[in-house]
Amino acid sequence: MKTSDFNYSLPPELIAQEPLSERASARMLVVDRETGDLRHSMVRELPGFLSPGDLLVANETRVVPARLFGKRCDTGGKVEVLLVEPDGEGRWDAFFRASGRARPGI
């Protein structure tokens, strides 16, 4: 699997800039596992989709607003770096995407 498998176009106006004041009003996409049908819903309706014995995992991670854009020194091609997590020694784990092959010094 490649990280590029997860690339998709998302218009900036559809990206939330701050959480809703009423978090239960957040939108939720529900997939019917038997039919594959998709249904738009809201978080407040989540209990109605759960059955006894289901496991609900809450992701409480926060997004670091650390997306860097630049250009390659040699070709002027686009470069994007998403800083994910500091390693505690002044470096970061990151995702890197460029218009060509990644090499040191670009």
Side-chain angles (χ1 to χ4, degrees):
M1 184 175 291
K2 298 179 181 179
T3 56
S4 61
D5 294 340
F6 299 98
N7 290 347
Y8 58 91
S9 177
L10 182 61
E13 65 272 11
L14 295 180
I15 301 172
Q17 300 302 308
E18 54 190 58
L20 295 172
S21 58
E22 185 185 342
R23 299 300 287 264
S25 295
R27 296 186 310 170
M28 177 175 73
L29 183 62
V30 179
V31 180
D32 183 317
R33 295 181 80 179
E34 292 179 12
T35 66
D37 290 341
L38 302 177
R39 175 179 165 206
H40 294 275
S41 188
M42 291 189 179
V43 171
R44 74 169 56 88
E45 296 177 21
L46 177 62
F49 293 103
L50 300 175
S51 299
D54 285 351
L55 173 66
L56 178 64
V57 177
N59 179 352
E60 296 181 359
T61 59
R62 297 189 181 268
V63 175
V64 176
R67 187 175 304 269
L68 308 172
F69 298 96
K71 64 179 181 176
R72 296 174 61 117
C73 296
D74 55 351
T75 65
K78 294 180 180 181
V79 173
E80 179 181 347
V81 178
L82 176 62
L83 301 177
V84 178
E85 184 175 5
D87 71 357
E89 297 182 18
R91 296 177 302 219
W92 285 75
D93 292 331
F95 290 112
F96 174 86
R97 179 169 52 183
S99 54
R101 186 177 171 99
R103 296 184 312 275
I106 65 165

